Amino acid sequence: MIRITMIYKKLYLILIFFLFVFVSCDRQIDVPIEKGDYVFTDQSYGIRYYLKVDTIFGPNLDGRLYEIDDEPVMEMVPFELNLHRRNMYVKLPDNNKNVKLKYEYDKRKNIFMGWYVPNGKNKKEQYQIYRYIEPEFVVYDDSRYKRPCFDVNVKENVIYGNVRGYWDSMNDETVNIGDVLKRGIFDAINKKSIDLKMDIYMPDDDTLRNRPLLMLVHGGAFFIGDKASLPMKKWCNYFASLGYVCASINYRMGFKANAISIERTAYEATQDGHAAMRYLVHQADIYGIDTSLLFVGGSSAGSIIALNIAFMRNENRPRSSYKVMLGPDLGDIESSGNNLHVDFKIKGVANMWGGVNDINQISNADASIISFHGDADSVLPINHDYPFNLIGKMNRLFFNMIYGSECINDMAETIGLRHKLNVFHDRGHALHLDYNRKLNDDFYLIQNEIRDFFYDDIVDNPAAIMNVSDKRFYIDMTDVVMVDWKVDGGFIVKNDDDGVIVSWFSDDDKYKIKASGYYATGASFYDSLIVKHN
């Protein structure tokens, strides 16, 4: 009895096994095929076909097939496909036979894989079919350096050096610059120890580690002015809101009523400006400064200092800066203010109604120069002349001739520097102020001109799509950190550090490739290219 029971149990298990096999072999495999785009790869060719599934009805579907080869345009061929058990049957219009593909479906990876025998061959080819996911394409925010995009933090009265001088600050809101030589000169009698200070403006919550620096220097005939004057504060706040680190500096001012003293004061102010730049470069890690993007600008006397920081070398020192009857040798440009020994190179200069004593010093550097000057300026001439023509020929007793913005621009043109001169016709000095010494509309015009000019220094190698052929596209990645690609009318076959390879659909009539990304400076770019085929 026990033996008969065991036989029945074995027969029951065998019956269950055959029933399971029969049902499994007969049912359709539940595979999530959806409308959309797919890529077919095999072991011999790599990416071989691009598939567009247009309609699905039960286990059948149809769509368009594109064969990928060396030609830029893929010819479209309609196809039909039937899923039956673990086989795919593909029917093409020019082939009476169905192509049979054995497959397995990997649910975790969402891919089909298996083998098939290509027509005319007797060797199996391994293949995969996977859903084509278009690469993410982001059009990055292009506000940086173009439009305000940050709140601003200000660190005031940062000491960058110590010197002996008369003073380093005098409120200029109630002083007429034309009265400079008529008042207070005799106050410049005894020098004292002065802590040189600057205000530093930084973009708040900025994730970029290294930002361009713009150091601004106020004007005032080396006699009046302050780092916190309204124009300096407004400009510094504005450029910091764009993503710059900005600094506004004070420097030594005051002189005795003679030409040598005035010239020596201007040289000492240049030494102070140089010391300020050395300090900022030395503190670059603390303030997040990109030392390859150093900009300097100023108005009037401040512009003389800015130009000297960029272009003056020790061989250009004025003769009065050496030992004279009433004063010691003032030393080299970099020997005063602080003991920091750092080299730097200025990228660009904003020259606002300034000038230089030695025009040949402009050839010492390759900094770009944007200039603003009124052609009726009687304080600092736009051409080669004596300053302060408003006091008549007495000016020859106090000043040497100076080369104004027109001369500087001509020299920049001659030696091949990037330059731009903005001439204000029938206008005098201090173009950014009205007759009441309040900011006028030209203040903002000058601001925006400097912004756009310096942007081209920051992005001096703008990214642009280039093509080797109608399939191969690239961007010069020298300054680029990230780039996203997108195509209309085709798809990206390969994306690597050198660019992309694209194949285009023959049944599309518009072909366009786009690129978007950003540079190491944080500036972003977008470019597109229409591709035409014969």
Side-chain angles (χ1 to χ4, degrees):
M1 186 66 178
I2 293 173
R3 181 182 178 88
I4 293 172
T5 302
M6 292 294 292
I7 290 172
Y8 275 115
K9 283 185 177 181
K10 287 181 179 181
L11 288 173
Y12 178 77
L13 290 173
I14 291 170
L15 179 63
I16 292 296
F17 172 77
F18 277 106
L19 182 62
F20 174 81
V21 171
F22 173 80
V23 172
S24 297
C25 291
D26 190 54
R27 70 185 181 91
Q28 296 290 335
I29 306 299
D30 182 22
V31 178
I33 295 182
E34 301 173 345
K35 291 182 182 180
D37 296 2
Y38 296 81
V39 175
F40 180 103
T41 69
D42 67 26
Q43 64 187 29
S44 297
Y45 295 92
I47 297 179
R48 188 171 184 183
Y49 298 104
Y50 189 92
L51 310 173
K52 291 189 176 185
V53 176
D54 295 324
T55 57
I56 299 173
F57 38 96
N60 303 303
L61 57 89
D62 59 31
R64 292 163 286 168
L65 178 146
Y66 305 84
E67 184 173 7
I68 302 165
D69 53 24
D70 294 334
E71 294 298 319
V73 178
M74 304 174 290
E75 293 301 324
M76 186 275 289
V77 177
F79 75 93
E80 297 176 2
L81 185 145
N82 174 261
L83 291 172
H84 184 68
R85 296 176 180 167
R86 297 203 178 270
N87 297 319
M88 289 185 187
Y89 296 94
V90 180
K91 183 178 180 181
L92 304 173
D94 59 348
N95 190 343
N96 292 326
K97 289 186 176 181
N98 290 341
V99 179
K100 178 181 176 182
L101 298 89
K102 288 283 188 180
Y103 76 88
E104 296 286 341
Y105 175 65
D106 187 325
K107 188 174 182 179
R108 183 174 61 87
K109 296 181 179 179
N110 193 23
I111 62 174
F112 300 91
M113 62 183 69
W115 56 268
Y116 75 109
V117 178
N119 288 338
K121 295 185 178 182
N122 55 11
K123 178 185 176 182
K124 292 180 179 178
E125 289 279 359
Q126 300 295 320
Y127 75 90
Q128 289 185 351
I129 299 176
Y130 58 87
R131 187 73 181 263
Y132 177 71
I133 305 297
E134 188 175 34
E136 183 180 14
F137 183 75
V138 177
V139 177
Y140 295 92
D141 183 4
D142 68 346
S143 295
R144 191 178 193 101
Y145 312 127
K146 293 181 179 181
R147 293 177 293 278
C149 49
F150 296 100
D151 292 330
V152 177
N153 283 328
V154 185
K155 190 173 183 180
E156 296 180 340
N157 297 318
V158 176
I159 297 174
Y160 71 84
N162 180 270
V163 292
R164 292 195 64 79
Y166 298 120
W167 60 81
D168 69 332
S169 173
M170 181 184 290
N171 190 308
D172 66 349
E173 292 183 358
T174 59
V175 177
N176 187 322
I177 198 169
D179 295 335
V180 167
L181 296 180
K182 299 177 182 177
R183 64 167 299 263
I185 290 178
F186 297 104
D187 292 341
I189 298 174
N190 296 316
K191 290 187 175 182
K192 59 184 178 181
S193 176
I194 298 174
D195 283 336
L196 297 172
K197 298 174 183 177
M198 64 172 67
D199 296 336
I200 301 174
Y201 299 70
M202 293 167 287
D204 195 18
D205 292 330
D206 187 10
T207 58
L208 192 67
R209 296 182 62 183
N210 298 312
R211 291 79 59 92
L213 168 72
L214 173 57
M215 190 177 87
L216 291 175
V217 191
H218 68 81
F222 302 106
F223 199 87
I224 59 175
D226 184 77
K227 59 183 172 59
S229 65
L230 182 59
M232 295 298 113
K233 289 175 69 174
K234 292 275 286 186
W235 275 330
C236 282
N237 268 293
Y238 177 74
F239 280 93
S241 77
L242 299 182
Y244 290 77
V245 174
C246 291
S248 178
I249 71 167
N250 277 344
Y251 54 89
R252 279 175 284 184
M253 298 185 294
F255 44 79
K256 298 182 186 302
N258 62 76
I260 290 177
S261 178
I262 293 171
E263 189 173 69
R264 282 169 68 88
T265 295
Y267 179 70
E268 288 176 325
T270 294
Q271 288 179 311
D272 295 348
H274 201 281
M277 185 60 73
R278 293 198 309 273
Y279 174 84
L280 289 164
V281 171
H282 184 263
Q283 301 289 315
D285 289 343
I286 293 175
Y287 294 112
I289 294 169
D290 183 343
T291 56
S292 70
L293 294 173
L294 304 176
F295 299 91
V296 62
S299 60
S300 192
S303 187
I304 294 174
I305 297 169
L307 288 162
N308 285 342
I309 292 170
F311 297 105
M312 180 183 277
R313 303 296 179 261
N314 285 313
E315 57 267 26
N316 306 116
R317 283 176 55 181
R319 283 183 296 176
S320 65
S321 69
Y322 296 91
K323 182 176 175 59
V324 294
M325 184 180 298
L326 299 177
D329 190 325
L330 297 178
D332 288 342
I333 298 170
E334 62 276 0
S335 66
S336 178
N338 55 48
N339 296 320
L340 301 174
H341 299 287
V342 293
D343 294 325
F344 61 81
K345 180 180 178 181
I346 299 301
K347 187 76 171 177
V349 181
N351 162 36
M352 292 177 269
W353 41 100
V356 294
N357 289 109
D358 181 358
I359 194 63
N360 293 311
Q361 74 183 45
I362 300 300
S363 62
N364 289 334
D366 60 359
S368 64
I369 311 171
I370 183 169
S371 299
F372 306 86
H373 221 122
D375 61 7
D377 192 333
S378 59
V379 176
L380 281 175
I382 191 172
N383 47 27
H384 186 213
D385 202 350
Y386 288 94
F388 281 91
N389 277 316
L390 74 169
I391 64 172
K393 291 188 177 181
M394 282 185 60
N395 62 354
R396 288 161 173 74
L397 300 175
F398 297 100
F399 305 104
N400 294 317
M401 294 183 76
I402 194 167
Y403 294 88
S405 298
E406 199 171 73
C407 304
I408 292 168
N409 195 68
D410 290 345
M411 176 60 83
E413 173 71 22
T414 299
I415 63 179
L417 300 184
R418 196 170 77 87
H419 61 93
K420 183 177 182 181
L421 172 60
N422 297 271
V423 178
F424 292 71
H425 297 291
D426 299 322
R427 295 283 298 282
H429 203 63
L431 298 169
H432 61 320
L433 301 176
D434 62 22
Y435 290 108
N436 297 314
R437 298 187 64 76
K438 303 298 182 183
L439 301 183
N440 59 21
D441 290 342
D442 288 331
F443 172 91
Y444 301 99
L445 183 151
I446 291 165
Q447 168 184 282
N448 295 340
E449 285 282 329
I450 294 172
R451 174 199 65 198
D452 296 344
F453 187 82
F454 283 171
Y455 183 86
D456 290 339
D457 281 323
I458 295 171
V459 182
D460 58 1
N461 182 28
I465 300 173
M466 294 172 281
N467 60 312
V468 178
S469 65
D470 286 345
K471 284 183 68 72
R472 179 71 172 170
F473 301 86
Y474 69 97
I475 276 178
D476 183 351
M477 297 292 290
T478 303
D479 301 321
V480 173
V481 173
M482 171 67 71
V483 59
D484 295 334
W485 295 91
K486 180 179 176 62
V487 295
D488 298 333
F491 89 108
I492 297 172
V493 178
K494 185 179 180 182
N495 188 343
D496 56 32
D497 292 339
D498 296 323
V500 292
I501 296 175
V502 177
S503 286
W504 306 96
F505 303 126
S506 63
D507 55 337
D508 223 308
D509 59 354
K510 292 182 180 179
Y511 303 134
K512 187 176 184 179
I513 184 164
K514 309 169 191 175
S516 174
Y518 54 88
Y519 307 96
T521 60
S524 65
F525 66 88
Y526 172 86
D527 193 30
S528 64
L529 181 67
I530 301 294
V531 181
K532 297 181 179 180
H533 300 298
N534 296 326

